[in-house]
Amino acid sequence: MIRYLHRYGLLSILFLTDVGLLLLSIFLFFLAADYPDMARMFPRLALVMIMVVTLLDMICFMRDQEAKTPSKEREEGFEAVRPGQQLKVLYMVALIFIFFFFMLLFGLALGTFLFLMLSGWTLGYRKFKTLIFSAVIITAFVYVIFRVIMNSFLPEGLIFSITGG
Amino acid sequence: MYSLEAWISAAGIVFQWQNMAMVFGVSLIGLTIGFLPGIGPLTALPLFLPITYGMQPGPALILLAILYMSTTYGGSLSAILLNTPGTAASAATCLDGYPMAKQGKGGVAIGISMMSSFVGGFIGLAGLIFLSPIIADFALKFQPAEYFMLAVLGLVLIAASAKGSVLKGFIAGGFGFVVSSIGMDMMTGYSRFTFGSVYLKGGIPLVPMIIGLFAFSEVLALIESGDRTISEKGALSGRIIDGLKTPFRYIKTVLRSSLIGLGIGTIPGEGAAVANFTAYLAEARASKHPEAFGTGIPEGVIAPEASNNACVAGALIPTLTLGIPGGGVAAVFMGGIMIHGLNPGFELFTRHQDILTTLFFGLLVANLLLLICGSLLSPYAAKVTVIPISILAPTIVALGVISTYIMRSQILDVVAAIAAGIMGYFMKKYGYSTVAFLVAFILSPIAEKSFYQAVLLADGSYLTFAVRPISGTLLLLTILALVLPPILKKFRKPESAGSD
């Protein structure tokens, strides 16, 4: 059984992605069933198209696997990724949330500065002086553009409003 | 059409030192703002609208129009250097501009972009000045059936030309359509796919989607690549001056793309985002080596750049002549006209010709100034490619988060951008076209609304799309776009096999 699954690439992440998308589109198709006619027609049409095309993609994939001629594009997602790099991607996603939290807590300028320092260090930059210098320059640029020129509304910093600073 | 005296008077106003300083200053600000990922004319124009209150109508309209043009220029720089279009109008520029930057030809790509934008902008302005009555007349013939077919044709062209698998291009486009339908349905008011969320009722806004799909996903891909910089030191050997000369070797491409941009700009709702992709695809289809598109070739930069700047002028045609804004930015521009007590349309062209000629002259001067400023300042912008990724990536993130937040001061917009970023990262990783997704996301509301309006106007008959001359032609083109590529591929295969 497992051999059969491997032969047609049915355990490959690309095939499983197609399966996931197919299931998602089926779920959304039935979710839209209760909508009024005019509200459901277009999304359902798109979902049917997705289902048909996904099935075609799955068939093509299985055919390619059986013929052992994986096309270039199928390998694209699996270029060798250095160990630790994927962990850094996860760190970055977490850092984006942390930045927003910093901005709310410390305001635009200090929040941006702290975020740039923290993320530069986390991503492996170890020249501390350059890091501080670049963080100061970029923060000043961001401040001038968003606060001075565009006069945008941005968080002042919760910590400063509490302390009255 | 416009008298010589009117032009001389316009030159007198534009060349006043205060107005020249304004043109220069606003051009620089626009270039900088456009460079910021996700911040485009639609963000910048409303913020500058209050500044124009106390100004004379002519200079006020020049300020807004230059801001529109310069942000579009600036957006191309980040598209080329960071693979992050500053605006949706530059999204297609990424496809060949970024590979050129990676090959160490960032300077050449910027030069190409600047000159193509200049020529495209000039042709667009010429169209605005001389052809506006004729083109506006044609755009008036477009009814919902035509808008619908145009949107469908756009979707099919984008999905079919997706890099890699065409099937995955269609899947991405389909999901772009579904994601765009999240929120309150415009025809019935019914909430679709909101899962009870109040935020989702308003739909997912475009800015977080663009920033997430292009800026954040690119940041994640950059980090995963493990590279130290985007381009190695010294690799920025490409000279801007070489790039400035290049478009003159592709005159046909420049003209074709500028005319596409101008034409699309005149159609309300079809903005520069559609124009740059349409011109890119038209160029790829017309090319003898379509497979080279996406690898970093000059035509791939010329086409979107000439078209998006021509489109800026094109969008002003229906705005000024008919009072129908060509897009979101043109709508803001129309607001700028109206707050000065002017009414777009017949009255503007008859009673306020002096203001119009001042605007046109100011735009011609600004177009030239942008070429000079852009070419002089771009080498400094190009330095970003040698900045360490561990510094550059957080900088893009910071700009993206702030840009997303300032649109509506909504925390959930930032969350939406992050979600779009993660989605975009996986889409790129597994070969699903983010471009097809975004274009479908932009076009689907137009398509859906136009579809229902067209059917209602035709008393429920779906045949309206086939029997109306323009929509019928567009339908035919859509079918050809679907059917022709596989047939041509079959015919070409034996040839290429032979050559191999």
Side-chain angles (χ1 to χ4, degrees):
Chain A
M1 177 72 176
I2 296 289
R3 240 176 85 183
Y4 177 84
L5 291 174
H6 273 297
R7 185 180 165 193
Y8 289 100
L10 303 185
L11 294 176
S12 143
I13 188 125
L14 286 173
F15 187 82
L16 293 176
T17 307
D18 273 348
V19 173
L21 292 176
L22 186 65
L23 292 175
L24 178 66
S25 48
I26 292 170
F27 166 70
L28 293 174
F29 184 83
F30 284 107
L31 191 71
D34 297 336
Y35 300 169
D37 275 349
M38 277 178 106
R40 74 179 172 195
M41 188 188 155
F42 253 71
R44 285 187 115 193
L45 206 67
L47 288 163
V48 168
M49 185 201 84
I50 294 170
M51 286 181 224
V52 172
V53 179
T54 309
L55 276 172
L56 274 173
D57 196 45
M58 288 160 80
I59 292 166
C60 289
F61 183 80
M62 286 164 69
R63 205 184 52 190
D64 279 357
Q65 288 295 309
E66 196 188 18
K68 300 280 178 206
T69 53
S71 53
K72 253 190 177 177
E73 95 221 25
R74 300 199 180 284
E75 292 165 349
E76 244 178 312
F78 298 98
E79 284 166 3
V81 175
R82 287 178 219 168
Q85 291 307 125
Q86 278 182 334
L87 203 62
K88 282 187 179 174
V89 171
L90 275 178
Y91 286 157
M92 196 66 234
V93 173
L95 280 164
I96 301 174
F97 282 105
I98 290 171
F99 171 49
F100 193 66
F101 171 73
F102 274 178
M103 211 166 68
L104 292 176
L105 199 65
F106 302 113
L108 171 72
L110 190 57
T112 307
F113 176 79
L114 289 174
F115 164 73
L116 292 171
M117 290 290 294
L118 181 67
S119 43
W121 191 262
T122 311
L123 294 177
Y125 198 75
R126 290 291 177 266
K127 292 176 185 166
F128 199 65
K129 278 182 188 169
T130 318
L131 197 58
I132 291 181
F133 179 71
S134 62
V136 169
I137 295 286
I138 295 161
T139 305
F141 173 76
V142 165
Y143 189 84
V144 168
I145 291 288
F146 289 102
R147 183 70 93 211
V148 180
I149 296 177
M150 296 176 76
N151 200 20
S152 314
F153 174 76
L154 284 160
E156 290 293 339
L158 208 59
I159 207 157
F160 297 118
S161 37
I162 292 169
T163 57
Chain B
M1 197 181 286
Y2 307 102
S3 65
L4 185 66
E5 287 79 17
W7 285 109
I8 293 169
S9 160
I13 295 170
V14 172
F15 286 131
Q16 280 174 8
W17 75 267
Q18 303 96 317
N19 291 336
M20 279 307 287
M22 181 194 75
V23 168
F24 186 73
V26 173
S27 300
L28 287 185
I29 292 170
L31 276 173
T32 315
I33 292 175
F35 188 76
L36 307 176
I39 303 270
L42 204 50
T43 313
L45 254 76
L47 293 169
F48 276 78
L49 207 55
I51 298 172
T52 67
Y53 285 157
M55 296 169 72
Q56 290 293 314
L61 294 184
I62 292 174
L63 185 149
L64 293 175
I66 293 170
L67 202 59
Y68 188 3
M69 287 171 79
S70 54
T71 42
T72 310
Y73 259 78
S76 313
L77 293 181
S78 54
I80 290 167
L81 298 174
L82 305 173
N83 199 22
T84 304
T87 66
S90 312
T93 310
C94 293
L95 302 176
D96 276 270
Y98 186 61
M100 282 185 86
K102 284 187 102 173
Q103 292 159 18
K105 295 182 206 159
V108 179
I110 288 171
I112 293 173
S113 155
M114 287 294 155
M115 186 51 82
S116 310
S117 298
F118 170 72
V119 181
F122 188 80
I123 291 173
L125 288 171
L128 172 66
I129 296 166
F130 298 109
L131 302 173
S132 53
I134 305 159
I135 297 175
D137 193 43
F138 182 71
L140 261 185
K141 287 180 185 155
F142 272 61
Q143 287 207 351
E146 282 75 31
Y147 287 129
F148 172 73
M149 282 319 306
L150 198 64
V152 171
L153 177 63
L155 283 175
V156 168
L157 284 173
I158 304 293
S161 64
K163 210 178 163 191
S165 163
V166 172
L167 292 176
K168 281 184 165 41
F170 276 103
I171 295 170
F175 272 106
F177 203 107
V178 175
V179 173
S180 177
S181 71
I182 291 173
M184 213 176 276
D185 172 38
M186 64 188 112
M187 303 301 283
T188 60
Y190 198 87
S191 294
R192 300 187 291 198
F193 308 120
T194 55
F195 303 98
S197 159
V198 177
Y199 173 78
L200 288 179
K201 270 194 173 180
I204 296 176
L206 185 59
V207 170
M209 188 55 81
I210 291 177
I211 290 179
L213 270 183
F214 289 94
F216 290 168
S217 70
E218 182 57 31
V219 163
L220 299 180
L222 273 176
I223 292 167
E224 195 188 56
S225 73
D227 294 339
R228 214 181 65 80
T229 58
I230 289 179
S231 169
E232 291 304 319
K233 264 188 182 157
L236 287 171
S237 55
R239 295 189 312 156
I240 287 182
I241 190 80
D242 295 336
L244 289 174
K245 291 176 197 162
T246 306
F248 296 106
R249 293 206 300 270
Y250 301 92
I251 292 292
K252 266 189 193 170
T253 305
V254 175
L255 287 176
R256 183 167 37 222
S257 308
S258 302
L259 292 176
I260 287 173
L262 179 64
I264 289 177
T266 59
I267 303 166
E270 309 283 334
V274 180
N276 76 124
F277 278 113
T278 310
Y280 183 87
L281 294 171
E283 202 47 47
R285 301 226 161 198
S287 171
K288 286 175 189 162
H289 46 85
E291 71 287 346
F293 277 75
T295 60
I297 57 169
E299 299 100 299
V301 179
I302 294 169
E305 284 307 298
S307 68
N308 64 15
N309 282 276
C311 184
V312 169
L316 294 180
I317 293 174
T319 313
L320 295 173
T321 56
L322 306 165
I324 300 169
V329 188
V332 179
F333 190 83
M334 203 166 93
I337 296 173
M338 293 168 83
I339 60 168
H340 285 93
L342 305 168
N343 287 320
F346 183 71
E347 191 188 316
L348 191 63
F349 275 79
T350 49
R351 288 181 59 189
H352 301 289
Q353 262 204 16
D354 53 331
I355 295 171
L356 275 184
T357 42
T358 308
L359 171 67
F360 294 155
F361 194 82
L363 287 175
L364 288 168
V365 173
N367 197 36
L368 183 65
L369 259 180
L370 280 171
L371 173 70
I372 298 165
C373 291
S375 305
L376 291 176
L377 297 174
S378 298
Y380 303 102
K383 299 280 181 208
V384 295
T385 58
V386 290
I387 295 174
I389 283 171
S390 44
I391 290 175
L392 185 65
T395 307
I396 298 175
V397 166
L399 292 173
V401 168
I402 299 169
S403 307
T404 307
Y405 184 76
I406 63 165
M407 280 296 292
R408 309 191 300 175
S409 302
Q410 283 231 27
I411 293 172
L412 287 174
D413 280 351
V414 179
V415 178
I418 298 170
I422 295 169
M423 183 181 75
Y425 165 73
F426 282 110
M427 283 176 78
K428 282 178 186 170
K429 199 170 162 76
Y430 297 124
Y432 295 90
S433 165
T434 47
V435 172
F437 180 93
L438 181 68
V439 172
F441 185 83
I442 292 171
L443 285 182
S444 60
I446 303 168
E448 188 172 8
K449 195 176 100 188
S450 308
F451 176 82
Y452 288 123
Q453 284 176 340
V455 174
L456 280 173
L457 282 172
D459 295 325
S461 167
Y462 294 106
L463 275 176
T464 184
F465 301 106
V467 294
R468 291 177 61 85
I470 301 173
S471 76
T473 310
L474 291 169
L475 177 65
L476 193 69
L477 287 173
T478 308
I479 294 167
L480 285 176
L482 276 171
V483 175
L484 267 185
I487 295 173
L488 288 175
K489 207 174 169 185
K490 243 182 186 176
F491 277 107
R492 274 182 193 165
K493 240 181 188 171
E495 264 178 56
S496 57
S499 66
D500 287 343

